[in-house]
Amino acid sequence: MDAKEKKPVSGKKMNLIFVLVVLVLAAVLAGWYWLDQKDAHELCAFVQYENKDGSQQMILPLDVDKTYDIETVFDTVHIQVKDGAAAFVNSPCPDHVCEGFGWLDKHASFASCVPNGVFLTIEEKGDLRDFQ
């Protein structure tokens, strides 16, 4: 036998390599799932609007299902939080474009009701410490 000839990989070694690859993939998937769940708990809805008292801001938790009535200078806008997402619902604006944004649940998602001057974004709680 020549000294430079390679020996074939044994069945035990192949099984060990396969198990290691599966474990690494499982760890990556578990980490991805954990990060996704962590984001859901660390996000909130941030609302900016104008009313008779001036510029206002509200932080709405995404883990509490509730409908908020936002009194603006012009009208009352309704924002609903449900199942970890926020959306404009039953808005009195003329075209209901704000309702078309749908349910926001990802960081930096944005929707607005321009006629009433209401702006809704999904933010990380830590970014909003100054408003709490």
Side-chain angles (χ1 to χ4, degrees):
M1 186 169 173
D2 197 34
K4 294 188 178 186
E5 269 186 50
K6 292 184 180 181
K7 291 183 180 179
V9 178
S10 70
K12 280 186 175 182
K13 202 172 197 179
M14 287 297 284
N15 288 343
L16 181 61
I17 291 171
F18 176 74
V19 168
L20 287 173
V21 168
V22 168
L23 287 174
V24 168
L25 286 174
V28 168
L29 289 174
W32 179 47
Y33 176 79
W34 179 80
L35 285 174
D36 189 48
Q37 293 301 312
K38 182 180 174 190
D39 286 345
H41 298 295
E42 293 181 358
L43 296 177
C44 59
F46 182 62
V47 182
Q48 296 176 311
Y49 62 99
E50 292 275 335
N51 68 13
K52 64 182 179 181
D53 298 325
S55 181
Q56 305 292 320
Q57 297 91 25
M58 291 178 67
I59 298 173
L60 312 178
L62 293 179
D63 56 353
V64 177
D65 292 354
K66 184 176 177 180
T67 300
Y68 298 87
D69 301 327
I70 310 296
E71 298 286 336
T72 73
V73 175
F74 306 106
D75 222 328
T76 302
V77 175
H78 309 283
I79 296 176
Q80 185 177 14
V81 174
K82 184 178 175 185
D83 299 328
F88 284 98
V89 294
N90 302 321
S91 180
C93 57
D95 296 327
H96 302 276
V97 172
C98 56
E99 294 174 21
F101 283 96
W103 292 92
L104 309 178
D105 63 352
K106 302 286 185 227
H107 180 254
S109 299
F110 174 83
S112 63
C113 182
V114 175
N116 290 299
V118 182
F119 304 94
L120 170 66
T121 58
I122 304 300
E123 301 289 344
E124 291 183 2
K125 290 179 184 176
D127 293 343
L128 299 173
R129 284 188 202 108
D130 295 336
F131 295 100
Q132 296 178 355

